[in-house]
Amino acid sequence: MARDRALTEEKILAALGAILAEAGGSRRIGVNAVAARAGVDKVLIYRYFGGLEGLLAAFAEKTDLWPTVEEAARARAIPETDLAPALAALVQGYLASLRRRPVTLEAIAWDMGERNALSERLDRLREQWRRDATTRVFRQHKVPAKVDIEAVMAVLAAAADHLAARGRLGGSFYGVALDDPVGHKRLDDALAAILEGVLNYARAGKESN
Amino acid sequence: MARDRALTEEKILAALGAILAEAGGSRRIGVNAVAARAGVDKVLIYRYFGGLEGLLAAFAEKTDLWPTVEEAARARAIPETDLAPALAALVQGYLASLRRRPVTLEAIAWDMGERNALSERLDRLREQWRRDATTRVFRQHKVPAKVDIEAVMAVLAAAADHLAARGRLGGSFYGVALDDPVGHKRLDDALAAILEGVLNYARAGKESN
DNA sequence: CTCTACCGTCACTTGCGGGTGACAAGAGAG
DNA sequence: CTCTCTTGTCACCCGCAAGTGACGGTAGAG
């Protein structure tokens, strides 16, 4: 109707975003659903994006899917003084930022089940995050040689991804409520304690194996 | 053909298991696929199980979906002497046991996306695991009061679930390879270091916040 | 043997999503 | 004005999965 390709593309992308945001478990994104939601004929999705796969790719590129290190830092005001609290704040901020992004949570959940255009994008974004976090935090701190800090961060990031994505549906996980502030605080504290312990205990020079 | 209801039900359940086991991302389990795989008419699924939902429920009840604490313990020979190594071995064994269960990994991945009969079963099995682990490990050890050990275990279990489920498709996660022994060892060591650090650093009486 | 309950097969309808071809309408170039 | 390119609409085909109704055959009870 409006005869404006750019606007139409915008509407389509927005519709996909809306569906993903409220998908809370419904699964099955389809061309028909997106087109209907956008109030547009589905053929335009094929014309402008080359089908669902292309649409996903375009969406993934265009959308603010992942928190930046800066955002995570802002969320928790990273203290620069010591490594452990800095990392703890970073991971806590990462977790909190994920929770604020429904479509990202959906993408993470989706990513567990199948590989598609979004998966690749997520991989690249994670890699980006890792680089940024490294340059931001590790440059100015000494890491105890005994600790494979990268593996520890992978463990904590995996936990954050899992807890955030699972938390969007409510419920609890191994005795911790995922959908209320009390549970969130318990997790934050646990993350802090883990990083404190790993870094300081290792720094004390004790053998861990 | 065989005119044996029990056997037919068995074949159907086995077919579902096979499909889930090799589903590696294909998604979309359906009555038709299961029936075809079992070499059986799909109407029998409706008659005997009341549809796909009932079939999933029956499957979930009947199948060995979750490692027992005993199994995890056997996988790593839990040392009884000290709490940290005992817990580390337990979590490592849990992770290793998960990796050995393709259908469980599929169920975990699935559980992230939608709730169904399997989800509830998983919830109950996790709860069971938590109880067993508690009675098995915590009874004979003193836990530092400052540590919310339950939250820490939830974090590590979430990481294990996520890394195991994601690892089934290969790839790496924040710089750690998920599908080779080197990556596995790095993760095991990180888990051990985390538990050592959390428990011993806390035991030293230091404040963590 | 005969009847009946149960097991398995076949055929069919329905609905939905993916994907495509053909057409109508507006906008700009000449 | 006319021609042409682009945008949007409509109508259709195709494949597939869900779900159902009816039928045939077999085993066991009496």
Side-chain angles (χ1 to χ4, degrees):
Chain A
M1 265 300 183
R3 212 166 168 65
D4 181 341
R5 173 168 179 165
L7 178 66
T8 301
E9 290 184 353
E10 207 52 54
K11 282 197 288 189
I12 293 173
L13 289 169
L16 174 58
I19 290 179
L20 277 172
E22 73 192 21
S26 66
R27 258 316 80 104
R28 237 39 205 163
I29 308 297
V31 177
N32 289 300
V34 174
R37 175 69 172 247
V40 161
D41 196 288
K42 65 179 170 180
V43 80
L44 301 181
I45 293 178
Y46 292 97
R47 275 229 268 274
Y48 297 156
F49 299 98
L52 188 62
E53 203 49 23
L55 177 59
L56 281 178
F59 180 82
E61 291 302 328
K62 198 174 191 310
T63 309
D64 168 41
L65 266 185
W66 215 253
T68 63
V69 172
E70 287 311 313
E71 178 183 351
R74 247 180 291 117
R76 281 295 187 282
I78 294 189
E80 302 284 347
T81 55
D82 204 11
L83 180 56
L87 276 183
L90 193 65
V91 176
Q92 290 166 355
Y94 173 80
L95 176 55
S97 301
L98 285 184
R99 285 205 192 98
R100 253 181 260 117
R101 285 176 161 72
V103 309
T104 299
L105 298 181
E106 203 64 28
I108 289 175
W110 206 356
D111 185 43
M112 298 283 291
E114 73 188 281
R115 309 292 296 176
N116 54 30
L118 252 78
S119 305
E120 297 169 23
R121 177 71 174 155
L122 288 194
D123 286 346
R124 268 179 290 133
L125 287 168
R126 281 195 243 250
E127 187 54 27
Q128 180 73 31
W129 213 93
R130 186 166 72 93
R131 286 186 204 288
D132 290 353
T134 302
T135 63
R136 158 114 194 187
V137 174
F138 293 135
R139 175 166 296 167
Q140 47 208 340
H141 294 282
K142 238 185 57 180
V143 179
K146 283 243 167 62
V147 176
D148 182 355
I149 188 66
E150 195 176 50
V152 170
M153 291 303 281
V155 167
L156 298 185
D161 282 16
H162 200 76
L163 294 168
R166 201 156 192 295
R168 105 208 115 113
L169 302 177
S172 63
F173 188 83
Y174 282 104
V176 177
L178 296 181
D179 52 356
D180 75 31
V182 177
H184 291 180
K185 175 141 179 35
R186 289 182 68 191
L187 294 175
D188 278 358
D189 289 347
L191 293 171
I194 285 171
L195 284 163
E196 287 282 345
V198 163
L199 295 174
N200 293 330
Y201 186 68
R203 179 165 291 156
K206 192 82 183 314
E207 196 70 34
S208 73
N209 218 346
Chain B
M1 267 287 188
R3 210 167 170 68
D4 181 339
R5 170 166 181 167
L7 177 67
T8 301
E9 290 184 354
E10 207 53 52
K11 282 197 287 188
I12 293 172
L13 289 169
L16 175 58
I19 290 179
L20 278 172
E22 73 193 21
S26 67
R27 256 319 86 100
R28 235 41 205 163
I29 308 297
V31 176
N32 290 297
V34 174
R37 176 70 173 245
V40 160
D41 197 286
K42 65 179 170 181
V43 80
L44 300 181
I45 293 178
Y46 292 98
R47 253 194 232 151
Y48 296 155
F49 299 98
L52 188 63
E53 200 56 17
L55 176 59
L56 280 178
F59 180 81
E61 291 301 328
K62 197 174 191 311
T63 309
D64 169 40
L65 266 185
W66 214 252
T68 63
V69 172
E70 288 309 316
E71 179 183 350
R74 245 180 292 118
R76 282 292 188 283
I78 293 190
E80 302 282 350
T81 55
D82 204 11
L83 181 55
L87 275 183
L90 193 65
V91 176
Q92 290 166 356
Y94 173 80
L95 176 55
S97 301
L98 286 184
R99 286 206 192 96
R100 251 180 261 118
R101 285 177 160 72
V103 308
T104 299
L105 297 182
E106 203 63 27
I108 289 175
W110 205 356
D111 184 44
M112 298 283 291
E114 72 188 281
R115 309 292 295 176
N116 55 29
L118 253 77
S119 305
E120 297 169 23
R121 178 70 173 154
L122 288 193
D123 286 345
R124 268 180 290 133
L125 286 168
R126 281 194 242 252
E127 186 55 25
Q128 180 74 31
W129 213 93
R130 187 168 72 92
R131 286 185 204 288
D132 291 353
T134 302
T135 63
R136 159 114 194 187
V137 173
F138 293 136
R139 177 166 296 166
Q140 46 208 341
H141 294 282
K142 239 184 60 182
V143 179
K146 282 241 167 69
V147 177
D148 182 355
I149 188 67
E150 194 176 50
V152 170
M153 292 302 282
V155 167
L156 298 185
D161 283 15
H162 200 75
L163 294 168
R166 203 155 189 295
R168 107 208 113 112
L169 301 177
S172 64
F173 188 83
Y174 281 104
V176 176
L178 296 181
D179 52 357
D180 74 32
V182 176
H184 291 180
K185 173 139 180 40
R186 289 182 70 193
L187 294 175
D188 278 358
D189 290 348
L191 292 171
I194 284 171
L195 284 163
E196 287 282 343
V198 163
L199 294 174
N200 293 329
Y201 186 68
R203 181 165 291 156
K206 192 88 185 310
E207 197 71 34
S208 73
N209 219 346

